[in-house]
Amino acid sequence: MKPSETTIGIASDHAGFRTKGIVRTHLEAQGYTVRDFGSDSEEPVDYPDYIRAAARAVADRTVTCGIVFGGSGNGEAIAANKIRGIRCAVCWSIESARLAKEHNDANVIAIGQRLVAEDVAIAIVDTWLAAEFQGGRHERRIRKIEPD
């Protein structure tokens, strides 16, 4: 994705707040527009309130794609995936990020601050943004997982 043509929605709970800020700074330095849906501190919050807002923005194309952060990323991915049209993958490595886009056309990724080092989180984001959906047999599979 070209930075000048891409708006990235980000969101976190308190357990992903620090990594969200680091990734946001990195993305803005690369020229991406970033829209932050919260939270705004490390004070405990309920992650669905923020994650669902970011996922809705991806689904309605207010933003191009989304990145959500939490302690593990699992709850965030589950919350995001409740929104029709969202394909959110938990990413814990560069390879998982690449495959999330190439095979699953993930339009949102989730990263766990407690499980992923900051430098790896940045590499995950960069890899995911640079990867391209491969289509073909993967397209058929994605159609099969769309809600009824």
Side-chain angles (χ1 to χ4, degrees):
M1 295 182 186
K2 293 181 181 181
S4 62
E5 301 171 1
T6 305
T7 300
I8 302 170
I10 61 172
S12 73
D13 67 357
H14 54 284
F17 178 74
R18 187 182 75 247
T19 301
K20 179 184 73 166
I22 290 164
V23 169
R24 178 183 185 157
T25 299
H26 173 74
L27 291 169
E28 289 174 338
Q30 290 186 317
Y32 290 99
T33 300
V34 178
R35 183 166 170 208
D36 190 338
F37 291 87
S39 76
D40 299 321
S41 76
E42 292 182 329
E43 290 296 315
V45 296
D46 295 335
Y47 62 85
D49 298 336
Y50 304 96
I51 305 310
R52 290 175 62 85
R56 280 191 192 102
V58 174
D60 70 17
R61 298 194 172 135
T62 303
V63 299
T64 311
C65 59
I67 307 168
V68 296
F69 303 87
S72 70
N74 289 315
E76 292 73 22
I78 292 167
N81 281 322
K82 296 295 183 181
I83 305 299
R84 181 179 286 279
I86 296 302
R87 290 175 307 282
C88 181
V90 179
C91 295
W92 61 91
S93 67
I94 293 168
E95 183 73 0
S96 66
R98 183 180 62 76
L99 292 172
K101 180 65 76 60
E102 289 180 357
H103 292 191
N104 308 114
D105 199 19
N107 53 8
V108 178
I109 59 171
I111 299 173
Q113 178 175 297
R114 294 177 181 150
L115 306 176
V116 176
E118 293 167 0
D119 61 327
V120 176
I122 289 170
I124 285 169
V125 168
D126 288 347
T127 299
W128 175 66
L129 289 170
E132 294 185 19
F133 180 52
Q134 293 180 345
R137 70 184 188 277
H138 305 295
E139 180 70 35
R140 179 181 72 248
R141 293 169 183 159
I142 286 172
R143 283 194 307 270
K144 289 183 177 185
I145 63 171
E146 289 298 319
D148 296 333

